[in-house]
Every structure is written in structure tokens, then in C-alpha cells.
């Protein structure tokens, strides 16, 4: 079955956050003291997650990404991943992780057929890692990268580009693609930092990142990307991997957006920049049947904003300031 929104965009991709908690404190995502973590009872239970994913898969969602907070902070995550991997219609199961706790689970991820892992890594410098994430964990993240590569799991590295914090890391991060078959994707910093403060204008936007990369590798060439891709991807001749740029703040890709999100507390978001359109958790807990859930889901999908700017303008709460750990990225 194929699922389309009101702008005729196919919906195939669910990003589901399993916790808001995290063992890092990346400054672009949350304050150093952390967040007021949600009480456990606010989170979707595994049964609720499985029920939702089954329903969404029956409607046409075929790709699922598990994210957080840090997914491995949630107890028994592997049990959930195994169960998700068995749901008919879920053809691809992906994971986004900060890599701190991930390495010991890599063999099992391989076994359950994880389609890819997105590893967040903003610098290769231990001092800057600590300054950005407020924890001294670079070594464990690099161990995870090593293990993922050893197990032949496709890896994308997410690098948020932050003015004054890690722009000197752009070249070393892109340099990883020379010897490793990884895709390093540079992401524009967004205001989802739990504080709301952001630049009046984003200096390091996708154009500047591209110019910067092109200055070092003038023969870097764009590669074709699949439908719904958010990254513009480039090959650098002679490199095993690729580099990508995600205009997450400039929002250049909304016209082909194929994704929906469910937050850790079960809120449906049909755009990253909306403030949640439906509490699926509350509906499930109030006794909604599968048919009733499908009906409200389809109605939400038929009212998606055209793009992230419209979604932001239509928010019925304050401007974007919630932590990305609440949403999942
Ligand atoms: N903890 C896991 C991790 O860091 O990979 C998964 C959750 S994290 C919220 C998902 C992604 O969102 C990460 O790659 C992170 O870099 C990105 N992210 C978080 N806050 C962001 C922001 N303000 N702007 C851009 N990307 C952000
Ligand atoms: Fe944690 Fe990921 Fe947010 Fe960093 S980006 S604080 S690792 S949830």
C-alpha cells in the first residue's frame, strides 16, 4: 500500500524516538545540566511502539529509524529492535546513536539486519569533543565506528557544523572518507537546543559548508540521491566514502519530504518544525481501536504543512526551542 500526504508526497519513513534521556550533553541539543527527563510512564511502552509501527507499516511506512535521546540508554533496546525487525512491511530498520554505549551491541545489530547506523560525531579532537558534548567519550565513539566498519554495517556520520566550535573539524571529518567507506554528512545547526537561543542569521549554512569543502577538494562532484533525501551528497575522487550537506535550517528539501516522526512520549509530528499534531500515546491509552487510530493518522497525514517554514509559522506554542532529544532529530 502507498501512503501520500495532501501535497502528493509519498510517506514511507518513520523516525521514532524511544527516550529523551541521554548520556551526552551536546550543547546544540540540550543544556549542560540536562533536561527535566520525562517520567518513565510518559514514554511509549514497547507494546505501544510495536502496535504503532505495525499500523504504520500496514499503511505504507517501510523504513523505520530508532533514535532518541540516546537509544541505548533505554533498557532492553535490543529486544525492541529485534521485534521491530520482524514486523511485516518494515523493510529497513535504521538507528541513530551517539556511539558511547553502542560498540558491544554491534554484532547483534549486524545479526538482526540493521540497514545502517547514523553515528553522531562532531570532531576528532578529544578536547573539542568534551567542550561540545560535556563528556569525555570520544574514545568509545571511535570504538563504535571501528566496530561498525569491521562488521560491514553501512555508516553515516552526522556532524553538526557550529560556528566558533568545530568549523576547524570540517576538513578532518571529511578526510575520514578518504580511507573509510563512510558518508560524512554536515548538518546545519538548528535551534532545537532546549534554550531557544539561536543565531539571527546562520553563517555556516549549506552554501558556506559547500564552498568550504570545495575549496579543499575542487573536483568534488554531486552524486545522485534517492527520493526524499535530505542530504546533497558529493564524491571526492579517490575517496572511499562520500560527503553530504543537510540544509536542516535552510530547509531546501521539504518539497520531497517523505518522513513522519513520533517523539518519545508518543506525539506525532508531520514536520520537524511543527509542535506535534496528535498524542498517539493518549489515544492508545484512552482505548482507541486500530481502526480509530488509522483514521486519525490518515487525517493528520492529509493536513501536513507544505514546508518547515509553514509548520513553524503554524505552531500554537512558543517558537522552536525544545531539545532535539525530545524529538529524535
Ligand atoms: N543521541 C543520538 C545521537 O546523537 O546520534 C540520537 C538522537 S540525536 C537528537 C539525533 C541527531 O540530531 C544527531 O545526529 C544530532 O547531531 C542531531 N541534532 C541534535 N540537535 C541538533 C541541532 N540543534 N541542530 C542540528 N542537528 C541536531
Ligand atoms: Fe544526546 Fe544525541 Fe542530543 Fe547529543 S545530540 S545530547 S548525543 S540526544
Amino acid at each position: 500500500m502507498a501512503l501520500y500526504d495532501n501535497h502528493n508526497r509519498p510517506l514511507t519513513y518513520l523516525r521514532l524516538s524511544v527516550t529523551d534521556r541521554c548520556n551526552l550533553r551536546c550543547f546544540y541539543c540540550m543544556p549542560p545540566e540536562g533536561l527535566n527527563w520525562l517520567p518513565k510512564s510518559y514514554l511509549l511502552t514497547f507494546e505501544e511502539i510495536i502496535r504503532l509501527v505495525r499500523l504504520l507499516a500496514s499503511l505504507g511506512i517501510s523504513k523505520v529509524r530508532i533514535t532518541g535521546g540516546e537509544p541505548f540508554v533505554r533498557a532492553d533496546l535490543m529486544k525492541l529492535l529485534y521485534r521491530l525487525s520482524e514486523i511485516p512491511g518494515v523493510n529497513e530498520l535504521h538507528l541513530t546513536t551517539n556511539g558511547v554505549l553502542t560498540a558491544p551491541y554491534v554484532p547483534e545489530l549486524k545479526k538482526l539486519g540493521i540497514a545502517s547506523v547514523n553515528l553522531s560525531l562532531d570532531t576528532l579532537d578529544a578536547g573539542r569533543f568534551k567542550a561540545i558534548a560535556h563528556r569525555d567519550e570520544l574514545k568509545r565513539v571511535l570504538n563504535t565506528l571501528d566496530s561498525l566498519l569491521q562488521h560491514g554495517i553501512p555508516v553515516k556520520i552526522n556532524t553538526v557544523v557550529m560556528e566558533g566550535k568545530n568549523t576547524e573539524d570540517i576538513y578532518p571529518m571529511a578526510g575520514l572518507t578518504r580511507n573509510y567507506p563512510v558518508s560524512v554528512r554536515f548538518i546545519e545547526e538548528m535551534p532545537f537546543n532546549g534554550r531557544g537561543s539561536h543565531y539571527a542569521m546562520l553563517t555556516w549554512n549549506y552554501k558556506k559548508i559547500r564552498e568550504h569543502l570545495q575549496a579543499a577538494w575542487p573536483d568534488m562532484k554531486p552524486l545522485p540521491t534517492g527520493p526524499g533525501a535530505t542530504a546533497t551528497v558529493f564524491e571526492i575522487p579517490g575517496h572511499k566514502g562520500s560527503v553530504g550537506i543537510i540544509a536542516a535550517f535552510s530547509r531546501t528539501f521539504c518539497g520531497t519530504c517523505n518522513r513522519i516522526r513520533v517523539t518519545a512520549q508518543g506525539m506525532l509530528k508531520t514536520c520537524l518544525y511543527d509542535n506535534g499534531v496528535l498524542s498517539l500515546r493518549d489515544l492508545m491509552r484512552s482505548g482507541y481501536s486500530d481502526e480509530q487510530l488509522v483514521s486519525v493518522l490518515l487525517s493528520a497525514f492529509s493536513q501536513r504543512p507544505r514546508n518547515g517554514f509553514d509548520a513553524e509559522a503554524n505552531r500554537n506554542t512558543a517558537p522552536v526551542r525544545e531539545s532535539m532529544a525530545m524529538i529524535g532529530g
Side-chain angles (χ1 to χ4, degrees):
M1 180 169 164
L3 184 61
Y4 288 89
D5 73 3
N6 45 318
H7 303 285
N8 215 26
R9 295 173 294 199
L11 295 177
T12 54
Y13 179 12
L14 165 68
R15 298 171 66 97
L16 193 148
S17 168
V18 292
T19 181
D20 57 324
R21 293 174 195 237
C22 191
N23 45 5
L24 296 183
R25 299 284 183 274
C26 305
F27 96 97
Y28 49 77
C29 180
M30 61 174 73
E33 65 276 14
L35 304 166
N36 289 324
W37 309 122
L38 296 168
K40 295 252 165 64
S41 63
Y42 282 35
L43 300 181
L44 289 184
T45 64
F46 282 3
E47 294 313 317
E48 287 166 340
I49 290 174
I50 298 289
R51 179 177 176 205
L52 256 188
V53 175
R54 270 190 205 288
L55 282 180
L56 288 165
S58 75
L59 293 176
I61 295 291
S62 56
K63 171 176 174 181
V64 176
R65 173 175 305 282
I66 295 305
T67 172
E70 172 49 37
F72 282 101
V73 166
R74 178 122 185 209
D76 291 330
L77 179 77
M78 290 308 299
K79 286 189 184 153
L80 176 69
L81 294 181
Y82 272 108
R83 290 183 67 189
L84 289 170
S85 72
E86 284 163 0
I87 294 179
V90 175
N91 302 334
E92 292 179 33
L93 184 61
H94 302 256
L95 176 73
T96 301
T97 174
N98 63 27
V100 174
L101 300 173
T102 317
Y105 299 101
V106 170
E108 277 193 79
L109 290 172
K110 175 77 181 172
K111 198 165 133 209
L112 70 78
I114 200 87
S116 80
V117 171
N118 283 12
L119 184 67
S120 300
L121 179 58
D122 303 311
T123 176
L124 296 173
D125 177 272
R128 278 197 293 280
F129 185 99
K130 191 160 179 222
I132 292 167
H134 296 108
R135 297 287 185 275
D136 195 4
E137 294 286 12
L138 177 63
K139 245 192 187 151
R140 289 211 273 179
V141 181
L142 292 178
N143 279 344
T144 293
L145 174 60
D146 189 49
S147 184
L148 289 166
L149 291 171
Q150 299 237 4
H151 284 81
I153 295 175
V155 182
K156 290 179 184 159
I157 295 179
N158 287 350
T159 303
V160 180
V161 177
M162 295 158 272
E163 194 175 345
K165 299 269 185 193
N166 73 338
T167 50
E168 60 273 67
D169 292 295
I170 295 177
Y171 290 156
M173 291 302 303
L176 280 178
T177 65
R178 186 190 311 274
N179 295 322
Y180 300 107
V182 293
S183 179
V184 177
R185 294 123 44 95
F186 296 100
I187 306 176
E188 287 180 350
E189 187 183 345
M190 294 178 273
F192 296 95
N193 52 27
R195 293 180 293 273
S197 55
H198 201 54
Y199 319 102
M201 227 184 70
L202 187 70
T203 312
W204 279 89
N205 63 11
Y206 69 102
K207 289 186 190 152
K208 180 154 179 170
I209 299 169
R210 180 174 175 164
E211 283 163 12
H212 189 64
L213 288 168
Q214 204 105 44
W217 292 283
D219 48 0
M220 135 184 146
K221 284 189 193 60
L223 286 172
T225 49
T230 50
T232 315
V233 182
F234 303 87
E235 70 172 354
I236 301 177
H239 286 213
K240 290 190 175 143
S242 59
V243 292
I245 302 173
I246 302 184
F249 187 63
S250 305
R251 287 161 257 187
T252 54
F253 42 70
C254 301
T256 57
C257 178
N258 62 354
R259 57 193 63 197
I260 55 169
R261 291 174 168 81
V262 174
T263 69
Q265 49 187 325
M267 184 63 82
L268 175 73
K269 285 167 74 77
T270 59
C271 173
L272 175 58
Y273 284 83
D274 73 28
N275 60 322
V277 295
L278 206 55
S279 173
L280 295 166
R281 179 198 66 196
D282 291 352
L283 296 179
M284 285 191 281
R285 292 184 188 176
S286 72
Y288 262 47
S289 67
D290 286 356
E291 290 69 30
Q292 286 173 310
L293 280 174
V294 165
S295 159
V296 290
L297 283 166
L298 292 178
S299 163
F301 300 155
S302 71
Q303 298 172 57
R304 278 185 94 208
R306 198 165 44 98
N307 57 43
F309 295 101
D310 285 2
E312 196 173 3
N314 290 339
R315 286 168 70 94
N316 56 19
T317 57
V320 169
R321 57 162 300 164
E322 60 270 34
S323 164
M324 196 63 103
M326 295 285 180
I327 304 170

